[in-house]
Amino acid sequence: MSKISNLAGNAILAKARAMGAGLLTDEDYTSLINCRNVNEVVSYLRTNTVYSQAQSLASTTSFSKSRTESEIRRFNYGRISKLASFEKAIGQKMNELVFLNYDISLILSCADRLSKNSISKFSLFAPEAYYKRSELNRIALESATNFNELYAALEGTRYQHILDIFKNTNSEFTITALENALYRYLCDYAEKSIKKEYSGDVSKELTKILMMKADFKMIESIYRMKKYFPKQPCNYETVFYSNFSAFSKDEILSLLSCTDTDAVFDIFKKSVYGKFVDESLKDNIEKCTHCAMQKINKKNLLFSTAPEVVMFSYIGILENETKNIVMITEGVDYSLSPEEISKFLVR
């Protein structure tokens, strides 16, 4: 890497680690799950944490569950956007994956509400910096009420051809099928970007962390098929598979051939991710993969020297923190005990 690239990398590393200092601690989570109502949750966040910087949280004295969740999501999407924009400003390229991920979230959010009298939830908290970068026609997407209108709204973008499989073939259009197609595109784009922009250890570490997200999505997909549709064929067409994986071809074929969820979990446990897999969570695969991802991200945030790996690890932890706060807000609003709320958190 050039001297400029090294300086840029050091700046990203310092920025991501500095932002990481504002993540919630175990003590924060303990205090939050013991709050008695949503207003107490908000009060704690704006008094004791980096959420004091969220002006929308500081400007109101009474909060509903939905309002709190929206403001938390908006603030944290903004934090991620700032870090990605900083990476772009100093000439690096991985920020493109962050904004592509936002594109996918918007498309899926709009697709999910087709024929419904509601607005895309993603639009309620997406940062303004994202809309300045995106090639998507937000208004057209949000106005779509059927597949053809959704397809037309994507005209001229890189995403329209992805939907050709539903328009020009007999493939059934479902949210799951669309999600798989979009994330396969994202994984392919990520793999090509890493090969083009990076080399050596940085390339290897970046590949590992981005493969992790694809692999965990694949494990979840196969596990759900074996659990809920055991008699249906399980193959590359019926589950999420990106071809961007740390699993060997033989391991993937073995996963697809498993007769039950225990067999899937055993292969997962013996994989390169095995030391991060919690055996006690084998019956809750989403929490199992999310906990494993959290462990890997925390380790990378502290010890990795690859700038973009630290950036993506911070983003992963913050995305999980957002989900945790939403879960706490809902749990407190429904008067669940601290012990019950804690069961749903990934820490």
Side-chain angles (χ1 to χ4, degrees):
M1 298 178 81
S2 67
K3 184 177 180 181
I4 293 177
S5 295
N6 282 328
L7 289 173
N10 289 336
I12 297 165
L13 202 64
K15 180 79 169 178
R17 289 221 167 101
M19 293 179 75
L23 293 166
L24 296 182
T25 65
D26 285 340
E27 290 75 16
D28 289 326
Y29 279 123
T30 298
S31 297
L32 287 168
I33 63 176
N34 279 284
C35 289
R36 292 171 295 180
N37 53 56
V38 174
N39 284 333
E40 283 192 9
V41 170
V42 174
S43 178
Y44 181 88
L45 288 171
R46 64 188 180 192
T47 302
N48 301 283
T49 74
V50 72
Y51 292 93
S52 62
Q53 298 172 18
Q55 295 182 351
S56 55
L57 291 180
S59 60
T60 307
T61 56
S62 181
F63 277 85
S64 65
K65 175 176 67 69
S66 58
R67 169 77 186 280
T68 301
E69 292 175 3
S70 294
E71 298 300 345
I72 292 296
R73 291 183 189 278
R74 184 179 294 113
F75 179 65
N76 284 345
Y77 269 108
R79 291 162 77 183
I80 293 170
S81 180
K82 286 178 182 177
L83 182 56
S85 297
F86 177 79
E87 200 246 12
K88 175 181 170 57
I90 57 180
Q92 303 302 93
K93 299 293 185 180
M94 287 295 101
N95 62 89
E96 294 175 6
L97 296 180
V98 176
F99 290 103
L100 284 178
N101 203 52
Y102 282 169
D103 275 352
I104 290 174
S105 294
L106 176 58
I107 294 169
L108 289 174
S109 182
C110 291
D112 190 43
R113 54 155 294 280
L114 291 179
S115 302
K116 298 177 183 177
N117 186 25
S118 62
I119 191 172
S120 157
K121 291 183 178 180
F122 182 78
S123 299
L124 299 176
F125 40 77
E128 197 59 38
Y130 157 67
Y131 289 118
K132 292 178 181 179
R133 288 278 303 273
S134 178
E135 63 183 303
L136 297 179
N137 185 333
R138 170 187 174 187
I139 296 175
L141 279 170
E142 292 183 335
S143 301
T145 58
N146 56 56
F147 172 80
N148 287 333
E149 290 179 2
L150 183 75
Y151 183 85
L154 294 172
E155 184 177 0
T157 72
R158 70 184 79 190
Y159 305 104
Q160 191 179 47
H161 80 275
I162 298 174
L163 273 67
D164 284 344
I165 189 174
F166 307 111
K167 189 172 182 65
N168 302 329
T169 71
N170 293 324
S171 297
E172 182 185 3
F173 176 73
T174 65
I175 295 301
T176 299
L178 176 61
E179 181 182 27
N180 286 349
L182 289 169
Y183 277 111
R184 283 170 184 155
Y185 170 80
L186 180 65
C187 290
D188 182 60
Y189 187 91
E191 184 178 18
K192 290 177 180 177
S193 296
I194 293 171
K195 288 180 179 178
K196 179 181 178 181
E197 303 292 342
Y198 300 91
S199 61
D201 290 341
V202 174
S203 176
K204 290 178 183 178
E205 281 201 55
L206 262 175
T207 298
K208 283 181 180 178
I209 192 169
L210 294 174
M211 274 184 174
M212 171 189 68
K213 295 191 74 171
D215 281 339
F216 287 2
K217 189 173 180 63
M218 178 184 69
I219 287 290
E220 293 167 5
S221 182
I222 294 174
Y223 189 99
R224 285 195 296 268
M225 280 293 294
K226 301 298 180 181
K227 183 174 182 177
Y228 298 111
F229 310 101
K231 294 183 179 180
Q232 292 189 18
C234 189
N235 50 47
Y236 293 117
E237 287 72 42
T238 57
V239 300
F240 174 80
Y241 174 64
S242 68
N243 198 37
F244 185 48
S245 177
F247 288 98
S248 68
K249 293 288 186 181
D250 286 342
E251 285 177 317
I252 293 170
L253 289 173
S254 295
L255 283 165
L256 294 171
S257 301
C258 287
T259 56
D260 54 38
T261 56
D262 285 344
V264 173
F265 189 87
D266 286 342
I267 294 175
F268 185 32
K269 182 70 176 176
K270 294 173 183 175
S271 73
V272 294
Y273 306 109
K275 62 183 177 181
F276 300 104
V277 175
D278 186 344
E279 187 85 29
S280 69
L281 297 174
K282 67 183 301 181
D283 293 325
N284 187 345
I285 195 63
E286 280 80 10
K287 184 167 184 179
C288 182
T289 54
H290 291 174
C291 284
M293 193 179 301
Q294 181 79 342
K295 291 174 186 175
I296 294 169
N297 283 333
K298 282 185 173 182
K299 180 181 177 183
N300 286 334
L301 184 63
L302 291 174
F303 301 114
S304 176
T305 57
E308 274 80 6
V309 169
V310 176
M311 180 182 80
F312 281 121
S313 294
Y314 165 77
I315 290 172
I317 296 170
L318 185 57
E319 288 174 339
N320 181 70
E321 179 173 298
T322 303
K323 294 174 184 175
N324 280 344
I325 295 176
V326 168
M327 188 61 66
I328 290 169
T329 303
E330 292 182 351
V332 168
D333 191 57
Y334 289 114
S335 301
L336 297 184
S337 69
E339 293 75 22
E340 285 297 313
I341 297 174
S342 186
K343 291 177 183 178
F344 295 102
L345 306 184
V346 174
R347 296 158 69 176

